Amino acid sequence: MMDLSSINPVVLVASLMVAATPILLAAIGELIVEKSGVLNLGVEGMMITGAICGFIIAVESGSPVIGFFAAALGAALLSSIFGFLTLVLLSNQVATGLALTLFGLGLSALMGQGYIGIKAPTTSPLNFGVLGDIPLIGRILFSHDWMVYLSLALIAGTWAFLKFTRAGLVLRAVGESHDAAHALGYKVIRIRLLAIMFGGACAGLGGAYLSLVRVPQWTEGMTAGAGWIALAIVVFASWKPWRVLLGAYLFGGITVLQLNLQAAGATIPVELLSMSPYIITILVLVIISADRRRAALSAPADLGKPFHATS
Amino acid sequence: MTTLLKLNGLTKAYPGVIANDDVSFEIAPGEVHALLGENGAGKSTLVKMIYGLVKPDSGTMALHGDAFAPSEPRAARAAGVAMVFQHFSLFEALSVAENIALGMENPPKPRELSHQIREVSHTYGLPLDPDRRVGELSAGERQRVEIIRCLLQDPKLLIMDEPTSVLTPQEVEILFTTLRKLSAEGTAILYISHKLEEIRALCDAATILRGGKVVGTCVPKETTAREMAELMVGKVLHQTKSGEHDAGDVVLKMESLSLPSSTPFGTSLQNVSLELRRGEILGIGGVAGNGQDELLAALSGETKVSSDVIKFENREIGQLGPNERREMGLLSAPEERLGHAAAPDMSLTENALLTGVVRQELAAHRFINWAKTKTFAETVIETFDVRTPGPTNAARSLSGGNLQKFVIGREVLQSPEVLVVNQPTWGVDASAAASIRQALMDLASTGAGVIIISQDLDELMEVADRFCALNAGRLSASRPTKDLTVDEVGLMLGGAHDMEVAHVG
């Protein structure tokens, strides 16, 4: 018999934020990449590379903070390979992105061979003093580690960057029409490369959040498709930062809820529960972006097109 | 007279072609200087060098007597050189103000910029709303965005690359008024065009380029258009003759077609009706983006409509796809050569197969007859004088004019009952354009119906028997071209597209 009373809504909300953070980080990075007109399908590979880089350095140094930095750096380096191949050598973005995922999975498995079964140093929640003792809100808002707040700050920062700053305008312009941006004298390739590396760093942080906080240990292939769901969220969120947040938290929420339901002994088959986060997230975001004409407006017009400066 | 910009022996070579060869001329402050030449004469490369997009191999430039060698557009803009591009360098999804800010070195705060845009645009008779999305603007308004972007930087030299190719005659008048005002204030204008009458009306001096070299200079007001054209082409021009033919029975009929647009910046067709008779050419004029692509798609079968809306020889064909229509004899050639009319990376033989397969029976029994296909491609190449080493070359490797001859030729040689073409001579040089027009007229004289959708009004007046205008998705009633004046045509096209008329003080 199912016992729903065992599910505490406050704990549920607090834990969905933790569950969603890896995807949120990866998705906001990919949003910037796609806004610059590049489609990088290697998110999964960059995440897992970040996961192992962060894990190794955190274990060796004993500091999760240094681990997160290493994760961002490692994944950004990996993404710069993608940047070089697609922007300079003009290789196909889709194929190169897929190859990056496969490469990242293999590379991380190789690097992580001596680290299986080790526990990562703990990342403890920030202490907000009295704020943490407020009923409901305290548990939901003030009980997390610093990465959760960083991910939320990144969403707000990305939104403000795209909406209010000149650099954000230039980035959108490059994704909208690289030929026009080039004609006006903007450095299309440089801007895109920076965007790709930012996306890599974010994906790396997301991966490291899995291996250092969420799990927290190293297993091969531990991202288990999180990179792909991040990619899907960006598209169905119509490239809007706040909708990415919505999509990621929805996904995290249903993931946590279905785990709770499984634990509570729900009569629904486990397979259906496991697939529910993917189906429901995509379904909701598809409905939000159902108006095709408006969705097409926010899509970067030159997404995935190779840029070659004639002359 | 002092000199503003002096070009001295500019040379630029690309692999296999010398784009500019020892080009020299001077522009004085306030002068409107025309740069004339056919496609491929080297006009674009030359202005790209002045604007810092391309570095010359040799030669020097001087601005106000000082050496001028911009390494990037930013440097050129800082020196007072501004440019309005032929293919608009605008971002459709961004607002007017954002677009303008992108083209400035140090844009002011958004609110102040909006204020400046309103102010400057009214001073020069080009009103603009800074908050509108560029994708929603007409071609004339888009050009205003580019011009305002330049004017806000107080340029000394304004380069305009084919500015009137997308404007209605009334919009051209507004533009010229603005340019004359700028010139009177001391701004020099380098005006690139191949429309000779415009150059005669506007420009003080002209430099003519052919094959990358300066082949002559003239004072346009004292030179006839014909003399300039012959300098430009380098040979005596033959005028195409309009073949006399009587219109036959109605072969194609479209009744009140309304079609919502499928893309965000597309145009919805509203209540479009037309009738085409055998042996006649129907010209559909209008600035691109007013529903031309949508109309062609409905006629070719790419977009299916309710079956009774389009009738071909009294058969309802609205629900039939392109190949079924081809089989009946309704062929079409879309505007976009690479990617729509032809597959860029496939050979000419393969491209010939793609539309010729049905009528030329190139794949009997579902297997491709390559020998027959190659012969067909070779026939097209030969008949239409397509300059290419052979049918195995990729479509992409052909120049725009040659590929256009190929895609038009491919349809004409299938002896269609009805042929619909969209912008058949866009970006094609004068002699190739003349041969394409002649082929279309010859086709009509054999009894086929031809629909030409074009924004080149001179072309339509020359070849079409009847003219109608497509404006904002609505098609006007048709009128015989014999007794139409340019002003009437302009009004049929919606005048200045409901833009406010210039008030230049």
Side-chain angles (χ1 to χ4, degrees):
Chain A
M1 200 35 226
M2 190 161 75
D3 181 14
L4 283 176
S5 63
S6 67
I7 301 175
N8 177 342
V10 174
V11 176
L12 186 79
V13 174
S15 48
L16 82 81
M17 291 174 73
V18 173
T21 298
I23 298 164
L24 184 61
L25 284 165
I28 198 66
E30 180 67 9
L31 183 140
I32 289 285
V33 177
E34 293 192 9
K35 270 289 179 189
S36 81
V38 177
L39 181 65
N40 184 354
L41 293 182
V43 182
E44 179 85 1
M46 300 187 299
M47 276 186 92
I48 193 101
T49 305
I52 189 59
C53 288
F55 190 82
I56 292 176
I57 300 298
V59 166
E60 299 300 335
S61 70
S63 157
V65 177
I66 298 178
F68 276 113
F69 270 105
L73 193 69
L77 277 177
L78 187 72
S79 70
S80 64
I81 299 177
F82 171 85
F84 178 74
L85 290 173
T86 55
L87 300 177
V88 181
L89 302 182
L90 299 178
S91 70
N92 179 291
Q93 291 184 6
V94 170
T96 312
L98 291 173
L100 193 73
T101 286
L102 296 174
F103 176 62
L105 288 169
L107 180 72
S108 62
L110 178 71
M111 289 167 72
Q113 275 185 342
Y115 291 88
I116 297 168
I118 303 177
K119 201 173 171 347
T122 356
T123 304
S124 39
L126 295 183
N127 188 0
F128 287 91
V130 259
L131 288 178
D133 298 331
I134 306 171
L136 296 181
I137 298 172
R139 177 73 181 92
I140 293 174
L141 291 183
F142 302 110
S143 69
H144 298 293
D145 55 84
W146 64 283
M147 281 302 292
V148 172
Y149 301 110
L150 178 73
S151 67
L152 290 170
L154 270 174
I155 291 283
T158 302
W159 169 76
F161 171 77
L162 290 175
K163 193 167 167 69
F164 298 117
T165 68
R166 179 165 172 82
L169 176 62
V170 172
L171 182 91
R172 282 190 286 146
V174 167
E176 190 57 38
S177 166
H178 46 223
D179 290 324
H182 174 71
L184 290 174
Y186 292 104
K187 305 270 185 256
V188 174
I189 291 178
R190 189 187 299 168
I191 292 164
R192 287 192 169 163
L193 189 63
L194 288 174
I196 288 171
M197 291 180 72
F198 175 80
C202 285
L205 287 177
Y209 193 79
L210 277 174
S211 65
L212 291 179
V213 180
R214 183 105 208 278
V215 177
Q217 56 176 342
W218 167 251
T219 42
E220 267 181 38
M222 67 184 300
T223 44
W228 296 109
I229 202 78
L231 269 166
I233 284 176
V234 173
V235 174
F236 291 121
S238 309
W239 295 269
K240 293 189 167 103
W242 294 113
R243 284 199 195 169
V244 165
L245 179 72
L246 173 79
Y249 276 17
L250 189 68
F251 181 80
I254 299 166
T255 307
V256 173
L257 183 68
Q258 64 94 4
L259 285 174
N260 278 321
L261 284 175
Q262 282 189 32
T267 46
I268 312 165
V270 174
E271 292 79 4
L272 277 183
L273 283 174
S274 312
M275 71 170 80
S276 62
Y278 300 90
I279 294 180
I280 296 176
T281 306
I282 299 230
L283 209 62
V284 168
L285 290 168
V286 165
I287 293 167
I288 291 178
S289 57
D291 187 344
R292 249 179 64 223
R293 287 171 56 112
R294 291 198 51 189
L297 268 184
S298 48
D302 272 356
L303 181 61
K305 292 187 192 157
F307 169 71
H308 178 63
T310 49
S311 74
Chain B
M1 204 150 83
T2 50
T3 305
L4 173 73
L5 178 74
K6 186 179 163 75
L7 307 182
N8 200 354
L10 282 183
T11 301
K12 175 75 192 177
Y14 290 114
V17 56
I18 297 177
N20 281 145
D21 189 0
D22 195 23
V23 174
S24 308
F25 61 87
E26 293 179 6
I27 304 173
E31 176 183 330
V32 184
H33 192 106
L35 197 54
L36 258 173
E38 294 203 274
N39 290 304
K43 296 168 298 183
S44 291
T45 307
L46 185 63
V47 294
K48 278 182 183 168
M49 287 196 277
I50 302 174
Y51 194 58
L53 278 166
V54 174
K55 276 195 190 66
D57 294 338
S58 64
T60 56
M61 293 183 274
L63 194 70
H64 298 298
D66 304 325
F68 175 63
S71 56
E72 53 177 357
R74 202 166 294 194
R77 287 201 292 263
V81 177
M83 177 155 167
V84 174
F85 290 87
Q86 174 183 12
H87 304 286
F88 301 123
S89 62
L90 295 177
F91 307 93
E92 293 201 334
L94 305 182
S95 75
V96 168
E98 285 174 328
N99 267 284
I100 289 177
L102 279 167
M104 297 175 75
E105 282 323 305
N106 295 303
K109 293 227 161 57
R111 186 174 300 171
E112 190 177 328
L113 181 64
S114 296
H115 179 72
Q116 283 184 17
I117 292 169
R118 282 180 213 280
E119 201 174 51
V120 173
S121 64
H122 276 98
T123 315
Y124 287 94
L126 306 168
L128 263 185
D129 177 358
D131 298 322
R132 283 187 65 193
R133 227 183 250 268
V134 166
E136 297 161 0
L137 303 181
S138 74
E141 289 171 308
R142 285 177 195 216
Q143 188 177 54
R144 290 180 174 187
V145 179
E146 291 234 25
I147 296 174
I148 299 294
R149 176 153 79 189
C150 293
L151 295 185
L152 281 174
Q153 311 187 63
D154 198 16
K156 302 284 166 284
L157 173 67
L158 183 62
I159 303 170
M160 305 205 73
D161 194 354
E162 309 249 352
T164 59
S165 55
V166 294
L167 302 184
T168 63
Q170 279 81 357
E171 287 172 332
V172 170
E173 265 317 303
I174 298 177
L175 174 68
F176 280 12
T177 317
T178 306
L179 293 184
R180 287 193 188 102
K181 179 175 162 71
L182 276 171
S183 149
E185 289 171 358
T187 308
I189 294 164
L190 183 59
Y191 188 91
I192 301 172
S193 181
H194 55 239
K195 296 197 175 168
L196 304 164
E197 288 304 332
E198 285 177 4
I199 285 173
R200 294 192 62 220
L202 182 74
C203 299
D204 305 316
T207 298
I208 296 144
L209 289 181
R210 190 191 333 137
K213 289 195 177 99
V214 175
V215 292
T217 54
C218 64
V219 178
K221 283 170 185 136
E222 296 162 7
T223 315
T224 66
R226 196 176 179 81
E227 284 167 337
M228 283 195 280
E230 282 170 7
L231 272 172
M232 201 163 95
V233 181
K235 61 183 178 199
V236 178
L237 282 176
H238 296 289
Q239 222 135 34
T240 42
K241 293 169 285 294
S242 186
E244 283 297 314
H245 39 72
D246 300 319
D249 306 331
V250 174
V251 60
L252 183 76
K253 199 167 181 173
M254 179 183 268
E255 276 175 279
S256 331
L257 171 69
S258 292
L259 190 67
S261 160
S262 54
T263 54
F265 299 123
T267 308
S268 302
L269 293 178
Q270 288 163 30
N271 215 358
V272 171
S273 301
L274 61 82
E275 211 177 66
L276 181 70
R277 292 172 178 278
R278 287 190 173 279
E280 74 166 352
I281 298 181
L282 175 66
I284 298 182
V287 174
N290 272 293
Q292 282 87 347
D293 293 344
E294 288 80 0
L295 181 61
L296 181 106
L299 285 169
S300 71
E302 282 173 71
T303 310
K304 289 184 184 167
V305 296
S306 21
S307 81
D308 56 344
V309 169
I310 305 176
K311 284 192 187 132
F312 179 81
E313 295 189 316
N314 288 326
R315 285 176 59 191
E316 298 182 345
I317 61 163
Q319 279 290 312
L320 300 185
N323 270 332
E324 289 158 304
R325 295 191 194 187
R326 281 191 189 115
E327 201 173 348
M328 302 168 71
L330 169 55
L331 306 187
S332 58
E335 171 186 12
E336 178 72 35
R337 289 185 279 265
L338 282 175
H340 198 174
D345 292 315
M346 292 177 97
S347 70
L348 294 178
T349 308
E350 288 165 319
N351 272 298
L353 175 83
L354 287 176
T355 74
V357 62
V358 185
R359 281 183 84 76
Q360 298 299 112
E361 291 171 354
L362 301 177
H365 318 298
R366 305 209 165 257
F367 284 95
I368 298 168
N369 185 341
W370 284 114
K372 203 171 169 187
T373 310
K374 185 158 171 271
T375 314
F376 176 53
E378 278 165 348
T379 317
V380 175
I381 291 169
E382 215 168 288
T383 319
F384 281 81
D385 187 27
V386 180
R387 310 276 165 82
T388 173
T392 50
N393 279 57
R396 190 190 289 287
S397 67
L398 270 63
S399 73
N402 275 314
L403 185 57
Q404 187 67 25
K405 285 195 272 188
F406 182 81
V407 298
I408 298 278
R410 179 180 67 181
E411 307 306 327
V412 169
L413 287 185
Q414 295 180 46
S415 35
E417 306 292 325
V418 170
L419 179 62
V420 185
V421 291
N422 190 5
Q423 319 293 357
T425 59
W426 195 85
V428 170
D429 62 60
S431 42
S435 66
I436 289 173
R437 286 179 199 136
Q438 191 62 55
L440 292 172
M441 287 192 286
D442 293 346
L443 178 67
S445 65
T446 64
V450 178
I451 296 179
I452 301 180
I453 305 172
S454 175
Q455 35 183 344
D456 186 340
L457 298 177
D458 299 335
E459 167 174 287
L460 292 180
M461 300 301 269
E462 183 185 324
V463 301
D465 303 302
R466 284 188 296 133
F467 174 87
C468 49
L470 188 61
N471 186 24
R474 291 195 174 82
L475 191 68
S476 73
S478 71
R479 297 192 40 193
T481 44
K482 281 197 299 261
D483 37 56
L484 265 181
T485 67
V486 171
D487 274 346
E488 285 173 313
V489 169
L491 290 172
M492 286 173 80
L493 290 174
H497 276 274
D498 306 323
M499 300 199 308
E500 283 180 59
V501 183
H503 307 286
V504 176

